[in-house]
Amino acid sequence: MQRVSAWLVILGLWLVPTLAPADVTERIRHRLEVLQAPGELEAGGERLYATAVLQRFYEARGYRPIWFDDMAPREALTGLPAAIAAAEREGLLPGHYHLAALESVLAQLASQPAPQRDSRVVTDAELLASDAFLLLAKHYADGKVDPTRVDPGWFLDRADTALIADLEQAARGDMGTPARVLAGFLPPQPAYAALRERLALQRSLLSGQWTPVPAGPTLREGDRGERVAALRQRLRELNDLSDDAGDDAAGDEQALPEETLFDAPLAAAVRRFQRRHGLEADAVVGARTLEALNVSPEARIEQLRVNMERWRWLPADLGDEHILVNIAGFFMTVMSGGEEVMRQRVVVGRPYRRTPVFTGRMTYLVLNPSWEVPHSLAVQDQLPQIRRDPNYLSDMGFQVLRGWGAQEQRIDPATVDWQALGPRNFPYRLRQSPGPRNALGQAKFMFPNSHNVYLHDTPARGLFAREDRAASSGCIRVSDPVGLTEWLLGGPGRPQVMSREQIRRTLDQGAETTVRLGRAVPVHLLYWTAWVEADGQVYYVRDVYDRDAAVHRALNEAPPR
């Protein structure tokens, strides 16, 4: 089912119009007329949330109920509580969708013969069911949390699922049970389903043993002691260590490990754990690795819930061919036809210059780019260096300019009193010429946006070897710009814009060259602190921008009106 399906159409697809007792119809009308006066709409002792939609929906059908045949609950209604309970699998709280109240009124109705059922209870059940379905479908399709309210760095345009009151179509077709219909609103990507499976597995581990590793000195291969035994047990619990034959260690396959010895198999397990947690895979258990080892199962569950919610914020279609940057994970993937064709390490914005989350469309790239320094960076970063070193501008290949177009003037840096300039008094532009010291390196990849953020090369190659790669001023630095260029400009199934030889020749010549791609490639700058790779391994990374907590709090709050 398309995520843009009509909510009100779907709400009635199982529910063919029937004659309803006049008393129930009038009670629904009376209840909904509260919306025309001060006060909140309630049913079964709970506040309803989709009030405007409910008013339009029921008014259009003459306030006749949709969940009842006469005074008997339809099959769709009796199956709705189970569909709501299934929200827990998606990282949501079923209690936010009237589960207890709905179960209570349904039990009350089930205890009474149909002719004696209270029309007030039927009305409660009717409105609770409609509100729960609409709210849960909305949250499955677009997310429970408004990302712009909890994260000022999130700029994705969410296309809210349409609400179309067309009840004539509601009687046509059979779209299955409520659970099946609601599931059609969830993100269709396999990566989301993999997180759901991991959430279920993580919850199953709560009843088992959890062995923290005690604090102490750094642990390395060859060490012995009770802390090594605790480390061994913790890695078994996390499925990073198996004592079965075939583990990547030398030695007697039948021999049991010595629990207190930090041996080669344990070192291999530590490296696996470190790779899954964005840590340097050196098999050394220092402070960062110890901290990651001792994160509780409950905390990992909440981390998974937060990242499942982020998936629900995204469009259902990321593009058959697209580039995805995981800001928190410091990596970029290039996808084509559902397959990963390239992965690179990236450097992202520092915590005080965060890379924003948004989607763009890459349309061109520039080989041997010059760098037009943004005004904010010119006064914050470049001006202090110019003041300290009179040769800085010439050594780094900067031009000092004033004006634009035909009015542009090149200024001799020696004629400028740099000490007298500041953020409110800086009438110049700085442009760095192409070359080995240019901050953008050999290429920049453009997807025009209001944030002035793009992908680019960098001469600071040592940054890619770092564990924490939040070190830029907001743009994304890629580790293999030439490889990305070659993929964008040609290859199987893509327009051949430039051959590999032409790209190399252009780079060698050093002239600034703009190249159109021949098609627009979607670029998604996203922020995930938990994800599942194609091999089924779950990865967790540090919340470098401290964004998870606000999403977690909002997930646990009652839905806003």
Side-chain angles (χ1 to χ4, degrees), residues 372 400-411 426-431:
E372 189 77 33
V400 181
L401 306 171
R402 191 166 190 170
W404 294 90
Q407 306 302 317
E408 182 178 279
Q409 296 178 327
R410 185 167 178 174
I411 308 298
F426 195 88
Y428 305 108
R429 292 165 34 227
L430 301 180
R431 179 190 295 159

Side-chain angles (χ1 to χ4, degrees), residues 46 67 94 104 116 162 206 266 271 345 375 403-404 448 524 530 561:
E46 293 202 359
W67 298 95
S104 176
Q116 300 177 16
L206 283 177
L266 184 57
R271 282 191 288 269
R345 288 188 163 209
H375 178 80
W404 294 90
H524 306 286
R561 284 197 66 146

Side-chain angles (χ1 to χ4, degrees), residues 27 71 108-109 112 116-123:
R27 286 191 182 280
M71 298 292 277
Q108 189 174 347
L109 292 173
Q112 302 169 345
Q116 300 177 16
R117 284 173 180 157
D118 190 332
S119 61
R120 294 170 297 182
V121 180
V122 171
T123 302

Side-chain angles (χ1 to χ4, degrees), residues 304-523:
L304 290 166
R305 291 180 62 215
V306 164
N307 285 278
M308 291 174 72
E309 173 71 359
R310 289 187 174 121
W311 266 106
R312 292 189 286 266
W313 295 343
L314 300 180
D317 185 6
L318 300 180
D320 181 68
E321 180 182 85
H322 65 267
I323 296 170
L324 189 152
V325 175
N326 182 355
I327 297 167
F330 306 130
F331 69 87
M332 175 198 76
T333 56
V334 177
M335 305 294 294
S336 182
E339 299 292 329
E340 181 180 311
V341 297
M342 184 181 302
R343 178 175 295 226
Q344 296 188 21
R345 288 188 163 209
V346 299
V347 175
V348 302
R350 301 176 182 91
Y352 59 89
R353 288 181 179 169
R354 299 179 176 187
T355 298
V357 173
F358 68 97
T359 287
R361 296 177 68 81
M362 186 180 294
T363 54
Y364 70 98
L365 58 85
V366 181
L367 302 177
N368 303 310
S370 59
W371 181 35
E372 189 77 33
V373 184
H375 178 80
S376 60
L377 300 186
V379 297
Q380 294 174 22
D381 296 353
Q382 305 300 325
L383 183 56
Q385 298 192 70
I386 297 169
R387 288 170 172 170
R388 287 194 298 267
D389 181 2
N391 297 320
Y392 174 76
L393 291 171
S394 59
D395 289 346
M396 299 300 293
F398 282 103
Q399 299 174 10
V400 181
L401 306 171
R402 191 166 190 170
W404 294 90
Q407 306 302 317
E408 182 178 279
Q409 296 178 327
R410 185 167 178 174
I411 308 298
D412 181 354
T415 65
V416 178
D417 183 2
W418 298 103
Q419 303 299 325
L421 300 181
R424 297 185 179 180
N425 177 30
F426 195 88
Y428 305 108
R429 292 165 34 227
L430 301 180
R431 179 190 295 159
Q432 191 177 29
S433 301
R437 294 193 174 187
N438 184 281
L440 306 185
Q442 291 185 297
K444 67 176 180 179
F445 307 87
M446 302 301 293
F447 40 105
N449 59 84
S450 61
H451 313 289
N452 197 28
V453 166
Y454 44 88
L455 307 179
H456 66 83
D457 182 20
T458 176
R461 310 303 300 173
L463 293 174
F464 295 109
R466 287 171 40 174
E467 173 186 316
D468 186 334
R469 296 191 290 279
S472 81
S473 295
C475 285
I476 300 97
R477 306 176 189 181
V478 297
S479 58
D480 182 10
V482 175
L484 180 58
T485 299
E486 292 177 349
W487 183 84
L488 287 167
L489 299 185
R494 295 187 303 280
Q496 185 73 41
V497 180
M498 291 179 71
S499 68
R500 180 175 299 184
E501 292 72 21
Q502 289 174 310
I503 294 170
R504 299 287 179 176
R505 187 162 57 248
T506 302
L507 290 173
D508 291 342
Q509 289 171 349
E512 189 168 16
T513 304
T514 299
V515 186
R516 295 284 171 181
L517 300 187
R519 85 283 193 202
V521 179
V523 179

Side-chain angles (χ1 to χ4, degrees), residues 223-262:
D223 287 347
R224 290 181 181 272
E226 293 305 316
R227 291 182 64 234
V228 173
L231 171 64
R232 184 181 294 278
Q233 181 57 30
R234 182 68 177 132
L235 291 172
R236 287 185 182 124
E237 295 163 3
L238 295 170
N239 294 320
D240 287 301
L241 176 64
S242 170
D243 294 324
D244 295 337
D247 199 7
D248 55 346
D252 184 354
E253 293 184 354
Q254 304 302 317
L256 294 175
E258 187 178 339
E259 292 293 304
T260 60
L261 173 63
F262 197 140

